[in-house]
Amino acid sequence: MNAPSQIWAIVKKDVVMELRTKEMVTAMLLFSIISMVIFSVAFANLGKATEIGIEIDLTQVSGGLLWTAFAFMSLLGLNRSFVHEKDEGCLDGLLLAPMERWVIFFGKMLGNLIFIGVVEIISIPIFTLFFIRAAWLPRAGWMLLVLLLANIGVCTLGTLLATISVNTKARDLLLPVLLLPVLIPLLIFAVRATTTVITGEGFDQIGTLLSSMVVYDVIFTLASYALYDFVIGE
Amino acid sequence: MKTMKERIAPILAGLGGLCIMAGLIGTFYVVPMAVDTVGDPNFRQKIFYFHVPVAETSFIAFLVLAIAGGAYLVTNRPQWDIIARVAAEVGFLFGILVMATGMIWTRAEWGKWWEWEPRLTTYLILLIFISGYFLLRSTVEDEHRRARFAAVFGIIAFLNVPISFFASQLIPRASVHPPLLIFKGDLPPSFLVTFLIGQVGMLCFAAALMVARTQVELMKQDLEVIKQGIGGVMRGCR
Amino acid sequence: MPIETQVLYVAGAYAALWLGVIVYVVILTNQVAKIRKEIKLLADEVAKKT
């Protein structure tokens, strides 16, 4: 088997497993939606009273709220994808198979990318329904681009650091501590880009923001790929 | 008599101390008093002369951390891991000092203790990184694994610092912090010399701390070895 | 801001700086003292047994 088909095999394994139980994606999606309910409570003061209730317009802070929810939701997904492997001995199985380590890296990373992406694509329309009064549908393409670039960063670093954290005593407790600080610049870019896409204001900034995200992704994908050998296996 | 190796730390400390004293005298007696925009004397600008050296030293400690980590990954020699860990400690100490002096300066200059602005934010992130580094180390028991994981995280964290700095500049606000690279030509000579002496002093002092701390670590390890050895001997004597 | 308050702030910053360093050095010295004590204990044990 050559590398691309090996990678595809790993991705397929993760996807098929998830399709059978649907546990992880359901939990991630629920987390996303529950966060939004909490937002409605937290920001109730900003709402405008109507006949039946309140209408809350969070367009100006939409990027921040979305990415807060997504950051934690990604942690759920990343943790789950590795703790399971480690416990079931699947990780050792992968290591025994005749494939290069970096193949495992990209396989896991793409799998996570798919899951996180799916949950985000479902969550964003719901968030729009709940909290956005601006019509940003014509800019939906930009939104997808932002999501893709941000998720690549989250998943590469997430895969690397999840592999580390799952091999320690603290296991999944450690991942937030390691991953979130490292993601801060990416989150800054993503939040600003998302808010820009949704509000449509300051759209001239989008070029800088997107290219910054690309730079971030390139640097950290290369770094994670190079360092992965040192963290997986004995 | 003390060997040369044992003398390094006190020598560095002495040199650092002297430079810092010289820098201090320079700051308060040689450098003319800075003047406010309204023409009032700006005494609090003097904080700058030790706040910045501390900041740069902490950054260099972080650099040492990353390099030592890389060296460990390449050579697998445990000495590098000790250096990395010591660099993290000193970097953390100096990082806290940067925040403390920085916040005092912000309070003196602008009346508030905290603002979300690029350098303060980046330093906060740096401190969080190093805390995560120590947390990571405490959760792994096997020495080699711990060293490897710590090295990888150290490198990733270090790569993140310039990017964090750039990203936090995107937070739109008028910068509260004075221009960072002020020594790129803005300062008249007397300022510059005083500043550089202070900088060198701080670096020497930090190096002294690191060397001393490393020696303590090595002493601890030797002690462990001796204890194990003696345990064997004692058992044999019974 | 009056100059006396400014001096206070500068002094405060400087004090914070050296406080931190002194705390670290004290902890370090403590560790060295502990190690010396342990070495002495071990040396005594060995002397007793031989």
Side-chain angles (χ1 to χ4, degrees), chain A residues 87-133:
Chain A
D87 284 345
E88 302 295 323
C90 197
L91 207 52
D92 295 326
L94 278 176
L95 288 171
L96 284 172
M99 57 173 93
E100 303 259 359
R101 302 295 163 92
W102 60 267
V103 166
I104 304 179
F105 172 70
F106 276 110
K108 298 300 290 180
M109 176 249 176
L110 284 173
N112 282 314
L113 197 64
I114 293 178
F115 296 136
I116 295 179
V118 162
V119 175
E120 287 176 352
I121 290 184
I122 301 180
S123 305
I124 291 186
I126 300 181
F127 186 86
T128 309
L129 174 68
F130 286 168
F131 299 120
I132 309 267
R133 297 291 156 252

Side-chain angles (χ1 to χ4, degrees), chain B residues 21-33 43 46 49 190 194:
Chain B
M21 286 313 292
L24 206 65
I25 297 177
T27 310
F28 291 107
Y29 289 103
V30 171
V31 168
M33 178 84 80
F43 189 71
K46 309 276 185 191
Y49 285 95
S190 62
T194 313

Side-chain angles (χ1 to χ4, degrees), chain B residues 31-42:
Chain B
V31 168
M33 178 84 80
V35 169
D36 238 333
T37 40
V38 285
D40 286 333
N42 184 350

Side-chain angles (χ1 to χ4, degrees), chain C residues 29-45:
Chain C
T29 323
N30 238 0
Q31 290 195 339
V32 172
K34 259 196 270 184
I35 292 181
R36 291 238 171 90
K37 219 172 22 169
E38 277 206 48
I39 293 184
K40 199 165 169 326
L41 270 172
L42 283 176
D44 288 341
E45 290 268 335

Side-chain angles (χ1 to χ4, degrees), chain A residues 195-217:
Chain A
T195 314
T196 307
V197 166
I198 290 185
T199 59
E201 296 161 16
F203 210 71
D204 47 324
Q205 290 256 335
I206 202 94
T208 327
L209 291 169
L210 287 177
S211 30
S212 312
M213 284 166 74
V214 170
V215 168
Y216 183 97
D217 285 345

Side-chain angles (χ1 to χ4, degrees), chain B residues 1 83 93 125 189 195:
Chain B
M1 273 319 314
I83 294 182
L93 170 71
I125 296 177
F195 179 77

Side-chain angles (χ1 to χ4, degrees), chain A residues 79 161 164-166 168 170-179, chain B residues 132 135-137 139-140:
Chain A
N79 265 327
L161 294 175
I164 290 183
S165 83
V166 119
T168 66
R171 304 249 295 206
D172 47 330
L173 265 187
L174 197 62
L175 185 61
V177 174
L178 297 182
L179 184 60
Chain B
L135 193 62
L136 172 61
R137 292 191 72 105
T139 60
V140 185

Side-chain angles (χ1 to χ4, degrees), chain B residues 20 24 41-44 47 50 54 89 93 97 101 104 107-108 205 209 213 216 220 223 227 230 234, chain C residues 1 3 6-7 9-10 12-14 16-18 20-21 24-25 28 31-32 35 38-39 42 45-46 49:
Chain B
I20 293 180
L24 206 65
N42 184 350
F43 189 71
R44 53 191 183 270
I47 294 186
F50 48 93
V54 176
E89 275 189 27
L93 170 71
L97 295 179
T101 52
I104 294 180
R107 166 74 178 154
F205 194 73
L209 283 179
R213 181 78 181 83
V216 169
K220 271 200 210 159
L223 192 60
K227 271 203 240 179
I230 288 192
M234 305 272 264
Chain C
M1 155 177 308
I3 193 152
Q6 291 195 32
V7 171
Y9 274 113
V10 174
Y14 211 61
L17 181 64
W18 288 113
V21 174
Y24 191 68
V25 171
L28 213 57
Q31 290 195 339
V32 172
I35 292 181
E38 277 206 48
I39 293 184
L42 283 176
E45 290 268 335
V46 173
K49 292 276 179 153

